[in-house]
Amino acid sequence: MQVDVVCVGDPFLDLIFLGLAAIPAPGEESLATRLKIVPGGMANVAYALRRLELDAVLCAPKGRDPAGRFLAELIAAARVPWHGREADATPVTVAIPADGDRALVSVMPTPSVDGDTLGGISARAIVVDLPSVPLLPPPSAPSARVYAVVGDPEVAVMAGRDLSSLADIQALILNEREAGRLTRRPDAPSAAAHLASLGATAIVTRGAAGAIAVEPDGRTIAVPALPVDVADATGAGDLFVAAYIWADLAGNPL
């Protein structure tokens, strides 16, 4: 199978509670105005890439549980091809957007790479969570670009590890909190500079403060955020990842 991008990692079943004035305090019950149930995680990245007219597919285990069956229906309705072996459990996230941001609670099995399925897919690019990069089989297309991402669970897995090299990665994309926890650096510029010194372009998103990117040679670009009214920030990072990959594969300068 030949595609543009293969998104390696779990899609989530996202339950998003909209219309809350604030995130409830412990012991407090609040009423939301609406519930959205949508695919999340790598499904967001694949969906956005396809909206940008790239042939993107998911490669991840498919849960046999009720959540997995429902998630498979939603992903099929979104016209995102999903390839992978069967699994017992499905990752689920509850998202509570409020005050221009969101709180998340997730349950997920240990991330894994379905190497057998991935080995049958030839792609121009692979997007994968950072801890799973060493688990990738040799690519069918040796020139395939690898884009890595992390979230809070992946950062927790890597806590205490010293990153030695990112030379096999085209770019690492993460937010300011994740970058700080991963590198133990005090701010986005220093965290991005440290990550870039390991061999990959590092892109750190900063919410309302915009984003900063540092290339391995030290070249740095910072951009402001566009002014928008935020209704729901859930999945914003996933869409940023998709947009960056789309632009990079198109040959656009950083």
Side-chain angles (χ1 to χ4, degrees), residues 15-33 94-105 152 177 230-234:
L15 287 73
I16 307 172
F17 290 84
L18 298 173
L20 287 168
I23 296 172
E28 178 184 6
E29 181 178 5
S30 298
L31 291 179
T33 59
V94 173
I96 306 176
D99 299 324
D101 207 335
R102 75 279 186 269
L104 304 171
V105 178
D152 286 326
R177 183 189 64 256
V230 178
D232 174 12
T234 308

Side-chain angles (χ1 to χ4, degrees), residues 62-63 67-77 80 82:
K62 300 179 180 182
R69 296 194 295 272
F70 185 29
L71 179 58
E73 292 181 10
L74 295 175
I75 290 177
V80 175
W82 183 3

Side-chain angles (χ1 to χ4, degrees), residues 26 49 140 146:
L49 286 165
S140 300
V146 176

